[in-house]
Amino acid sequence: MRQSARLQTILDLTAVDAAPLCTNAQAGCHVLSLANLFDRVIQHSARMHGISNDLHSEFELYFLPSKNQIGRVSRNCHTSSILTPNGKENAQRMAREELTEVILKLLVAWRDPLWHFHQSMAHHHDFNNFSSNKSLEMSDMVHELRKGVQKVVEKMQMLGIISNSVSNLASPEALLASDSAEWRLMKDYDLLYCFRRDSNKVQNYLKILKCRIVPEHGC
Amino acid sequence: MCYIITYILFTVSVLPLCVVLLLFPSPSSHSLASLPLCHCLSAPLEPHFTECISREQETFRCWWSPGSYHNLSSSGALRVFYLKKESPTSEWKECPEYIHSNRECFFDVNHTSIWVPYCMQLRGENVTYFNEDDCFTVENIVRPDPPVSLSWTLLNISPSGLSYDVMVNWEPPPSADVDAGWMRIEYETQYRERNTTNWEALEVQPHTQQTVYGLHIGKEYEMHIRCRMPAFTKFGEFSDSIFIEVTEIPTKESTIPLTLILVLGILCILILIMLVVLTQQHRLMMVLLPPVPAPKIKGIDSELLKKGKLDELNFILTGGGMGGLPTYAPDFYQDEPWVEFIEVDGEDGDSGEKEDNRASDTQRLLGLPHPVSHHMNMGCSNAISFPDDDSGRASCYDPDLPDQDTLMLMATLLPGQPEDEEASFDVEERAPASSERSLVQTQTGGPQTWVNTDFYAQVSNVMPSGGVVLSPGQQLRIQESTLATEEETQKGKEGEESKETEEEKQKELQFQLLVVDPEGSGYTTESNVRQISTHPQPVETKPAATMEDNQSPYIHPDSPQSQFFAPVADYTVVQELDSHHSLLLNPPPATPMPVGYITPDLLGNLSP
């Protein structure tokens, strides 16, 4: 079920690019399609967060941490170096370009760790298939979400909503820069905890962006 | 030492319980809501935080409790410190805002950071009560406020009228900044019947409306809603309850009157039809079942006309006993206005309309001086006034034959028959010709000498000169009639015209007889008559003279011609009626015929 949903999401994102809803001449139409794009991306991020939450709870249940890990974990999240707004006002005050960049950075940062997490989970015989599928789905989702957000950025740049200062984080240089080895030191549980937090951040930021740029539909 | 041993023993005893409890922790490991049971059961309760909640993910507050340490319950005895792990070098700070009445520490917007771990600490004089479970991140302690403005609308009622569906609407909590997209909220609706204990929980969904299916009519339901952030576990408080009740609605109000009206309308229509049928029964009978002409003779009971009673009928008709039909013949068919008497040949030729007062058949039969419309088809002259479809009457309405001629011819055929003024008037209407008028007039007032039913003359022979040889029985009557006519002619003559008319009348009289030939040519038109009349006739010139001595305009048969008369019977069998109402007579058959009325079955015995 999840696999099919994942495929559906991929198709949705590619379809949006392949078949634009209307021509460039109609300005109103552009805005509508941007809102549509945003909605899809937000839905995707919400789903991603949900899966991460499930996985985290399951992991917590399975491995029975004796103590609250929160004290230690915060120091170990590899994405702690990324400056993220920690409040509503901060997020709203932040420029659109910055916020967009933060989102992209987060998504980029999690692509490899999740993939490796999935690999390690697959080899873990303790985990059942359900969790293994979820981890795979999660890593795919990050990938897809990043592509989706990049499309949104391109659209916004085309519409002139944001400037072109947003760096292309898909470039190999950007990928190399984000490829820090910190995450390899993290334990699986910490990874899940960190990703759960970051997926919530992404979801929130996307929603704030959307309601700031195209607030007509569903804010 | 003693203390240590006690402690160790206690720990060993309680440890399994703790392990069990730790196996099933609260969903969120960072929650402060669930207090480990170990602490409750064992050592005196330390001051601790009971709960930390954020309502809108922008601020949060924490409540603490002194626990068993009542001496620390006074405000200020305990102080709250928190650690915000934003950086490795962060420090413990004191609560930014105390609300001692509630033992609450409030963190406002400036002091609240999301996605940043907080750790809470209670500090006494020299003691620090810290529990690692009291660390959390704000997004995990969010419990949204309940929704507001709950309302419900009725969606529909089931056809059975027992259950209904309801749509509940509400607004998101005002504290949650949904518009900015900072919070996304899911709602859970719960309802129950009033005065019951168990709540029905519906599935959590992110929309601000919820359809509730299958509520029962007549029962009151209580409903409330609570909020939660999606993918998080903590629900907020329940909203205020709303009460839903739908009482029985008479659903068939609109349909019952409609069916009632339809039924009543149909009944009324049926009653009307019935009334119409009943009142107009006779007319409807006339239309639907037209009367079948049955043998009905005026003045004669229809019973006699039935089979087997021929003798009685003949007795009556031939005047047995009372001399024919009584004057006041019982009106057997008074109740049947539509009765039309059949034209029967021979003695029955005078049957006519009952309404025909002027042409009383009885009187005609008896020869009484009563108005009679004498012609072959008696009812014709009076029947002309209204159209008649009866077969016996239809012939009267032949447009081909001018009525004038018909009447004239008919009138003269049976001389001696008195004509009523009305009848003559009738004739006058259609016969404006003076000749006919006078002709008719001449025939009025004549004495009715014969009472015999045999008023048809049988023509036994036709003379080449145009004369007609009649049977001896008829000659007398004819003579008398001619005498009468001549007298009238003399009286009423008006110069030449009268003479001419008289002549014409003679001619016509003569030629009427001429016309009646066995060949069936019937009556001729007036033109024909006049043509015929051009032939000089010895008889014509001496009408007056011949009439005196029993002379008729007809050629009196001499002895050599008397041969023809000997076997002549007193009546004539009518072969048929042609279109001109003329009787096609045949020589009487050799076989003896019953006198009087001929029944239809006997007719079959007649040889054509």
Side-chain angles (χ1 to χ4, degrees), chain B residues 146-157:
Chain B
V148 295
S149 309
L150 272 74
S151 64
W152 67 276
T153 54
L154 182 66
L155 280 179
N156 53 34
I157 298 176

Side-chain angles (χ1 to χ4, degrees), chain A residues 7 30 48 54 56-57 65-66 70 97 99 111 114 123 125 130 134-135 143 154 177 181 195 205 207-208:
Chain A
L7 280 167
H30 278 291
M48 194 174 69
D54 294 341
H56 176 262
S57 317
S66 56
I70 189 166
E97 293 86 347
L99 201 57
R111 191 190 63 174
L114 282 177
H123 295 317
H125 298 292
F130 178 61
K134 270 190 186 169
S135 60
H143 189 65
E154 284 164 16
F195 181 65
Y205 298 152
K207 191 81 181 182
I208 287 168

Side-chain angles (χ1 to χ4, degrees), chain A residues 49-50 53 60 64 67-68 70-71 74 85-89 91-92 189 193 196-197 200-201 203-205 207-208 211 219, chain B residues 22-23 27 29-30 57-58 85 109 113-117 132-133 135-137 139-140 177-182 184 231-232:
Chain A
H49 173 62
N53 192 39
E60 209 175 44
L64 203 68
K67 279 190 177 180
N68 193 349
I70 189 166
S74 61
N86 287 332
K88 183 179 87 170
E89 287 174 5
Q92 283 178 332
Y189 177 74
Y193 174 81
R196 180 166 167 263
R197 188 191 69 180
N200 195 22
K201 277 189 188 176
Q203 185 185 11
N204 263 29
Y205 298 152
K207 191 81 181 182
I208 287 168
C211 290
C219 267
Chain B
L22 283 171
L23 274 169
S29 58
H30 317 297
Q57 209 175 359
E58 292 169 47
K85 295 182 182 177
V109 181
S113 298
I114 319 298
W115 304 295
V116 171
E132 281 203 0
D133 289 337
C135 293
F136 56 86
T137 53
E139 72 270 17
N140 288 318
D177 195 351
V178 185
D179 296 333
W182 181 239
R184 296 147 308 284
F232 290 95

Side-chain angles (χ1 to χ4, degrees), chain B residues 538-555:
Chain B
V539 180
E540 302 168 3
T541 52
K542 299 172 186 176
T546 53
M547 285 182 187
E548 288 178 1
D549 301 327
N550 292 340
Q551 189 165 5
S552 63
Y554 319 108
I555 295 169

